[in-house]
Amino acid sequence: MNKRKQILIIDGQGGKMGKQLAEALLEQQLADITVVGTNAIATANMLKAGAVQAATGENAVVVNSRRADIIVGPIGIVMTDALLGEITEAMATAVSRSEAYKVLLPVNRCGHYIVGVGDKSMSALVKEAVEIIKEALNN
């Protein structure tokens, strides 16, 4: 019996990126989706996208990073103190050490700038991320 792939979406602050990712990935029905917010507002907004499995906080990031086949979210989820301090050392370490394939969206905010990224819209970044995830699931 083939186990369905697990996609973990992690987002913080208002959860806007996570919500867009959840909507796009749920529409594709590629895998089981779990959303984890670094705060309750982010989680609530991702739930509005239709996500069924959701959790909030540091331990949820740590536990679900171990279970995921693919982790997707803003690049800050691998940087301690990113997202205005919402990403703890334990969160960044859990995501970084996870064996999951990571799809990190380059957002030039919160004290870092990714050279060469340009200023793509959030919808363009989400669309590109979904295509990368589809490709990863087919390999």
Side-chain angles (χ1 to χ4, degrees), residues 16-98:
K16 184 177 177 182
M17 176 190 291
K19 181 180 179 199
Q20 289 181 38
L21 285 164
E23 288 169 345
L25 290 168
L26 287 165
E27 183 179 293
Q28 296 285 322
Q29 299 181 354
L30 300 170
D32 291 334
I33 308 288
T34 299
V35 299
V36 174
T38 60
N39 63 67
I41 293 170
T43 304
N45 281 329
M46 290 188 283
L47 277 169
K48 290 177 186 175
V52 176
Q53 298 185 101
T56 302
E58 180 179 87
N59 198 55
V61 170
V62 171
V63 170
N64 287 287
S65 291
R66 289 193 303 254
R67 297 177 179 164
D69 295 299
I70 296 175
I71 298 174
V72 59
I75 196 166
I77 63 175
V78 296
M79 298 177 193
T80 300
D81 297 334
L83 304 183
L84 298 177
E86 291 184 11
I87 301 298
T88 66
E89 184 176 352
M91 290 173 170
T93 300
V95 173
S96 297
R97 288 187 177 162
S98 172

Side-chain angles (χ1 to χ4, degrees), residues 59-137:
N59 198 55
V61 170
V62 171
V63 170
N64 287 287
S65 291
R66 289 193 303 254
R67 297 177 179 164
D69 295 299
I70 296 175
I71 298 174
V72 59
I75 196 166
I77 63 175
V78 296
M79 298 177 193
T80 300
D81 297 334
L83 304 183
L84 298 177
E86 291 184 11
I87 301 298
T88 66
E89 184 176 352
M91 290 173 170
T93 300
V95 173
S96 297
R97 288 187 177 162
S98 172
E99 292 184 17
Y101 185 76
K102 288 125 186 125
V103 179
L104 304 172
L105 285 76
V107 180
N108 291 325
R109 289 187 297 199
C110 301
H112 62 269
Y113 183 85
I114 293 60
V115 175
V117 169
D119 288 327
K120 289 185 180 179
S121 69
M122 184 59 63
S123 59
L125 291 171
V126 168
K127 184 177 179 179
E128 187 174 337
V130 170
E131 291 305 314
I132 291 167
I133 291 166
K134 285 168 62 174
E135 197 175 296
L137 288 171

